[in-house]
């Protein structure tokens, strides 16, 4: 007897052997058959989906769950466009929270809407004895007040209180980490947000590290969330490379640096597992720290690498030698050069053709870099909603000659490169459907078309958020398509993305999300 039979729907399976079906049978959380294979079988529950469209659950292959949940409960200055209004919100938050000497966090900071950065002196006027930490929306910078600057070493660089990358990490390190209970609650909030948008699995893009980590024992917070029933979807955890340390392993093991006990990609189960090793090579375009080969338009610099290129290369090579899948953050084209050079070197030292290394973001990729991606078998894990939300700004700072290289679609696919969809939530909108719409039409929120030749088909965009996502996370045997034997993770939509006009795709209703064959509560 089936546990559940879903009927009267249009199942877009993403399986080329059976692309469309009308019925789907579920037993113990797995798909057991389609149409005639299950139509006559008894079932404990038969659900009439009333003509809805059903797809495999979306996979967000690059997301920050803990950060998303924390941000949801943090006072925010988002939407304020005047310095005086921003400072008024900050002061209100300061007066509501804690005692003098405490830390106060503020979210939603983006200097672009203000026309310039806030300064430490301005924050001093509204801090009332608190230590202020105003987080940039990109995650690659922050503004702090003098109370924080006074605690930093004199050699930590800043610009009137604005700190980026490693300097930001130094400020974060001054604070007590979040507790596991706080993190578990934040993870649960973010997971429910993902479910509401049809996401059934995701890859958390870096735990435990200096830049984006929230605790040196962050993995335990995800275990706690699961134990308390707060983790209603599948999560794969990327581990920040700065958590590795030298180990005295056997020479034949070839492991120069490792996580404690040799933990690496693949440990865990189908609900919570360790995924790729996350390595940062540069910053972000919003903070103007993505590393380019030529300066930003209108600026006298070309961003920055996180470290000396050889130091970055050593981390990439060591991670490869230790058996990790690598997720290399590289937004600018110079950073991509560093990443590709190191990955090529690593594969020469120890060929691992099935490693499935990934370039995270791949925000600005020159035409000559595309064949190198393909030759190395590297996936491009992109965030289409970056250009949907920030496309006008990004196109302006890249200039006309480079704008068409931003967050490519067609260029990757035409070179045989696996194109993987993701969000980088909470940096940008997390909706897979809105991202699919952008991948097809390449239109920013203002309507500006950016790199129209990089547009792809709806089917190809859906593939990036299902089959390709599963492949990038080594989940292809259990997720990514509605195929008998795989987990019954699926999303029920109010319309068919392949049938509606492209501008309507992002607005399609997510009717329900199923994980392990059960409708998930948001």
């Amino acid at each position: 007897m089936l546990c559940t039979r879903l009927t009267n729907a249009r199942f877009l399976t993403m399986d080329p052997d059976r692309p469309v079906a009308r019925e789907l049978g579920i037993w113990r959380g797995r798909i057991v058959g389609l149409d005639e294979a299950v139509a006559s079988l008894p079932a404990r529950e038969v659900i009439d989906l009333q003509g809805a469209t059903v797809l495999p659950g979306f996979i967000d292959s690059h997301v920050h769950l803990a950060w998303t949940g924390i941000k949801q409960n943090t006072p925010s200055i988002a939407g304020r466009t005047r310095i005086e209004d921003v400072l008024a919100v900050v002061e209100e938050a300061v007066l509501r929270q804690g005692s003098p000497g405490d830390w106060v966090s503020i979210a939603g900071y983006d200097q672009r809407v203000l026309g310039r950065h806030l300064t430490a002196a301005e924050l001093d006027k509204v801090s009332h004895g608190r230590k202020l930490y105003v987080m940039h929306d990109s995650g690659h910078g922050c503004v702090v007040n003098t109370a924080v600057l006074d605690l930093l070493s004199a050699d930590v660089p800043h610009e009137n209180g604005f700190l980026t990358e490693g300097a930001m990490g130094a400020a974060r390190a001054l604070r007590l980490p979040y507790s596991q209970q706080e993190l578990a609650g934040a993870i649960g909030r973010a997971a429910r947000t993902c479910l509401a948008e049809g996401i059934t699995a995701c890859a958390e893009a870096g735990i435990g590290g200096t830049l984006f980590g929230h605790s040196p024992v962050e993995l335990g917070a995800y275990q706690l969330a699961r134990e308390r029933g707060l983790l209603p979807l599948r999560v794969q955890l990327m581990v920040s490379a700065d958590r590795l340390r030298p180990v005295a392993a056997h020479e034949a093991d070839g492991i120069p640096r490792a996580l404690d006990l040799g933990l690496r990609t693949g440990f865990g189960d189908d609900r919570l597992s360790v995924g790729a090793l996350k390595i940062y090579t540069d910053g972000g375009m919003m903070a103007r720290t993505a590393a380019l080969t030529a300066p930003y338009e209108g600026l006298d610099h070309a961003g920055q690498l996180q470290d000396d290129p050889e130091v970055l290369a050593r981390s990439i090579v060591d991670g490869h030698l230790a058996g990790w899948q690598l997720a290399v953050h590289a937004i600018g084209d110079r950073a991509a050069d560093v990443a590709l050079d190191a990955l090529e070197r690593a594969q020469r030292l120890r060929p691992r053709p099935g490693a499935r290394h990934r370039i995270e973001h791949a925000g600005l990729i020159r035409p000559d870099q595309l064949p190198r991606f393909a030759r190395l078998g590297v996936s491009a894990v992109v965030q289409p909603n970056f250009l949907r939300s920030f496309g006008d700004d990004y196109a302006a700072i890249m200039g006309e000659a480079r704008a068409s290289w931003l967050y490519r679609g067609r260029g990757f696919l035409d070179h045989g490169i696996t194109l993987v969809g993701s969000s980088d939530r909470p940096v940008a909108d997390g909706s897979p459907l809105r991202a699919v719409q952008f991948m097809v039409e390449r239109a920013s929120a203002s309507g500006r078309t950016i790199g129209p030749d990089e547009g792809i088909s709806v089917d190809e965009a859906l593939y990036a958020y299902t089959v390709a996502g599963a492949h990038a996370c080594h989940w292809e045997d259990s997720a990514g398509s509605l195929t008998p034997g795989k987990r019954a993770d699926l999303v029920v939509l109010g319309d068919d993305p392949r049938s509606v006009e492209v501008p309507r795709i992002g607005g399609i209703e997510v009717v329900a999300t199923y994980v392990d064959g059960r409708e998930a509560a948001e």
Side-chain angles (χ1 to χ4, degrees):
M1 174 180 286
L2 297 174
C3 295
T4 307
R5 186 169 72 247
L6 303 178
T7 187
N8 188 22
R10 181 173 177 80
F11 293 91
L12 306 180
T13 68
M14 305 306 294
D15 182 346
D17 293 335
R18 186 68 174 268
V20 181
R22 296 291 298 173
E23 292 194 69
L24 181 145
I26 300 168
W27 184 69
R28 292 189 176 180
R30 290 192 179 267
I31 300 167
V32 295
L34 301 165
D35 290 344
E36 67 278 357
V38 297
S40 61
L41 296 178
R44 295 192 186 100
E45 182 180 32
V46 177
I47 299 176
D48 185 342
L49 294 177
Q50 301 179 13
T53 296
V54 182
L55 279 158
F58 296 125
I59 297 171
D60 189 335
S61 298
H62 184 118
V63 65
H64 299 275
L65 289 178
W67 179 15
T68 297
I70 290 168
K71 186 175 180 180
Q72 288 172 343
N73 273 16
T74 299
S76 177
I77 55 176
R80 271 67 176 189
T81 58
R82 299 192 309 162
I83 299 291
E84 55 266 38
D85 293 339
V86 165
L87 294 176
V89 173
V90 172
E91 185 168 30
E92 182 182 353
V94 163
L95 294 175
R96 283 202 316 266
Q97 295 188 36
S99 307
D102 286 352
W103 286 83
V104 176
S105 293
I106 304 292
Y109 176 57
D110 185 346
Q111 86 287 355
R112 297 173 303 176
V113 300
L114 298 174
R116 65 169 176 84
H117 280 296
L118 293 171
T119 68
E122 288 170 331
L123 293 179
D124 290 344
K125 296 176 183 177
V126 295
S127 59
H128 296 277
R130 276 73 163 181
K131 302 179 188 73
L132 279 175
Y133 185 95
V134 182
M135 183 71 165
H136 195 278
D137 271 344
S138 69
H140 289 274
C142 66
V143 185
V144 299
N145 63 345
T146 302
V148 176
L149 293 177
D150 287 345
L151 299 175
L152 292 169
S153 170
D155 61 356
V156 174
H158 69 90
E159 182 180 342
N160 297 321
F162 179 61
L163 302 96
T164 62
E165 311 304 341
M168 179 194 71
R172 286 169 63 97
L174 296 171
R175 307 180 62 175
L176 186 69
Y178 287 93
S179 71
Q180 290 203 349
Q181 184 169 334
E182 288 175 300
L183 288 173
I187 291 162
R189 287 192 295 274
R192 291 191 296 275
T193 300
C194 290
L195 281 174
E197 294 178 340
I199 296 164
T200 56
C202 64
E204 163 63 59
I207 62 169
T210 302
L211 281 180
F212 287 92
H214 296 92
S215 167
V217 290
E218 196 164 354
L219 191 152
Y222 282 85
Q223 289 182 282
L224 180 63
R226 180 179 180 177
E227 291 163 1
R228 293 187 173 178
L230 302 175
L231 200 64
L233 41 69
R234 306 186 197 287
V235 178
Q236 189 178 85
L237 303 172
M238 299 184 203
V239 176
S240 292
D242 54 8
R243 299 302 300 175
L244 302 189
R245 60 181 180 84
V247 293
H250 195 284
E251 185 177 352
D253 293 336
I255 303 176
R257 284 188 283 172
L259 205 61
D260 286 345
L261 302 179
L263 200 69
R264 61 172 173 83
T265 303
F267 184 81
D269 58 25
D270 68 344
R271 273 289 181 143
L272 182 62
S273 61
V274 174
L277 183 70
K278 180 72 175 295
I279 301 173
Y280 294 90
T281 63
D282 70 343
M285 286 187 188
M286 292 170 65
R288 310 317 194 218
T289 55
L292 313 178
T293 52
Y296 290 88
E297 287 287 313
L299 299 177
D300 60 358
H301 69 86
Q304 65 191 77
L305 295 172
Q306 293 285 355
D307 211 326
D308 180 84
E310 181 53 33
V311 173
L312 298 172
R314 187 74 259 166
S315 292
I316 291 170
V317 171
D318 284 355
H320 173 88
L321 294 177
W324 287 88
Q325 178 190 21
L326 303 179
V328 185
H329 168 115
I331 293 184
D333 58 330
R334 184 186 177 206
D337 281 335
V338 170
L340 294 169
D341 287 346
L343 290 170
E344 189 167 10
R345 176 170 148 194
Q347 291 285 15
R348 281 199 308 267
L349 289 171
R350 179 175 293 175
R352 288 176 54 211
R356 299 191 194 175
H357 296 324
R358 312 158 35 145
I359 299 290
E360 307 298 303
H361 306 296
L364 187 77
I365 301 299
R366 302 188 309 270
D368 65 285
Q369 292 174 317
L370 294 171
R372 296 195 68 195
F373 269 77
R375 187 168 67 252
L376 290 168
V378 175
S379 298
V381 184
V382 301
Q383 295 77 41
N385 276 330
F386 272 21
L387 285 194
R388 184 178 175 275
S389 299
F390 315 129
D392 295 339
D393 175 60
Y394 285 12
I397 61 174
M398 289 302 110
E400 186 176 350
R402 293 181 292 184
S404 62
W405 303 347
L406 287 164
Y407 292 91
R408 291 176 179 270
R410 176 56 54 202
F412 287 127
L413 293 180
D414 284 353
H415 282 80
I417 299 161
T418 300
L419 176 65
V420 183
S422 69
S423 71
D424 203 19
R425 188 198 303 265
V427 178
D429 177 17
S431 164
L433 286 170
R434 286 191 285 273
V436 165
Q437 177 180 322
F438 173 81
M439 294 174 87
V440 178
E441 66 182 4
R442 301 285 301 186
S444 71
S446 74
R448 176 177 179 173
T449 302
I450 300 168
D453 291 343
E454 290 295 326
I456 62 177
S457 71
V458 174
D459 280 333
E460 289 168 330
L462 292 173
Y463 189 95
Y465 274 91
T466 54
V467 180
H471 181 269
C473 297
H474 292 268
W475 283 330
E476 68 274 13
D477 291 337
S478 62
S481 66
L482 302 181
T483 302
K486 293 190 177 184
R487 295 287 180 185
D489 296 351
L490 48 90
V491 56
V492 182
L493 302 177
D495 218 328
D496 183 345
R498 303 188 309 178
S499 300
V500 302
E501 295 179 353
V502 172
R504 290 182 52 206
I505 293 175
I508 292 175
E509 179 188 5
V510 175
V511 177
T513 305
Y514 285 72
V515 178
D516 281 332
R518 294 186 293 274
E519 185 172 354
E522 298 171 10

